[in-house]
Amino acid sequence: MRSQGSEGGFAQAAIRRLEALRPLSQETIAVLEQAVLEGLFRAGPGEDLIVEGDAVDSIRIVLSGWAFRHKTLEDGRRQIVNFILPGETCDSHAYLLSTIDHSITTVTSVAYAEIKRARFEKLLASDWALAEAFMCETLINSAIQREWTISLGRRVALERVAHLLCEIFERLRPVGLVDGNSCSFPVTQTELADATGLSVVHLNRTIQELRATGLITLRERTLTIGDLDALRSAALFSPGYLQLYRRNR
């Protein structure tokens, strides 16, 4: 069950993520930290943060843990359309629409912040760099969706899986959640299959192929990449669409 809490340190992933897009002043960081701490909630694994059709009056920022966006057909078939990683916003500006068109469910235990629309818009109005950072994040999410569409429509199974692994690894870098060539990877094979449009059997065969070639190791919810350049080559992956570390003013 979702619960509210308040303690320090949780805002760091969000600040690092936003600062990878635009430099923020210390004053803005302090105000953002306060908003995050006052709207801090937690949810357990497998809980819905929002369900398709819900009205939205706030933004949610994942502070720790993983979640995913998904759509489910009437017969129960599910497509995961993105993972939401620490420091990333679930639904920036979604409050501008009458209802949300997808569901967001946790993979792991999650700490997240809810910032009401009025407060969020006041934050954006107070610092154009912060407003630009959130706009950049929205644009990057659109770029990620285009890459996922290419994966589903044109990439073969090994390229799809390798591309997603490369992407997640790169998205974790700016928030300090990569340790050498390893990172947390709590996603189940069922969730990974639903994200790549593969059956679990086909997904398992693809993972075994990547393991056999020494490109990756998946063990105890940790992804280790044996050769990042080789994995990128196998995936036809270029990280430019993620726009990481750009600090244009």
Side-chain angles (χ1 to χ4, degrees), residues 52-158:
E52 181 175 355
D54 284 353
V56 180
D57 64 353
S58 61
I59 72 158
R60 293 170 178 78
I61 304 173
V62 171
L63 308 172
S64 67
W66 291 35
F68 59 84
R69 305 177 192 272
H70 63 100
K71 300 273 287 185
T72 304
L73 299 178
E74 291 182 1
D75 62 4
R77 286 175 292 167
R78 180 180 70 179
Q79 179 68 46
I80 292 176
V81 298
N82 202 352
F83 290 103
I84 305 171
L85 308 180
E88 297 181 347
T89 306
C90 292
D91 41 34
S92 178
H93 300 98
Y95 56 75
L96 296 173
L97 304 175
S98 57
T99 58
I100 197 162
D101 71 335
H102 61 277
S103 300
I104 297 175
T105 301
T106 59
V107 176
T108 65
S109 295
V110 164
Y112 66 101
E114 287 191 6
I115 304 176
K116 294 296 184 181
R117 174 179 181 170
R119 187 168 192 176
F120 180 63
E121 291 183 336
K122 185 177 180 180
L123 279 171
L124 299 187
S126 70
D127 189 330
W128 185 243
L130 181 64
E132 284 194 351
F134 277 107
M135 284 189 283
C136 284
E137 188 183 38
T138 298
L139 292 170
I140 291 166
N141 279 332
S142 295
I144 288 171
Q145 296 305 151
R146 287 190 287 273
E147 287 294 330
W148 281 47
T149 299
I150 293 169
S151 285
L152 292 174
R154 288 292 180 261
R155 292 186 177 108
V156 299
L158 187 139

Side-chain angles (χ1 to χ4, degrees), residues 169 173 178-183 215 217 222-228:
F169 188 81
R173 279 186 191 270
V178 167
D179 182 11
N181 62 342
S182 297
C183 65
L215 291 177
T217 301
T222 298
L223 167 68
T224 301
I225 298 176
D227 186 332
L228 181 56

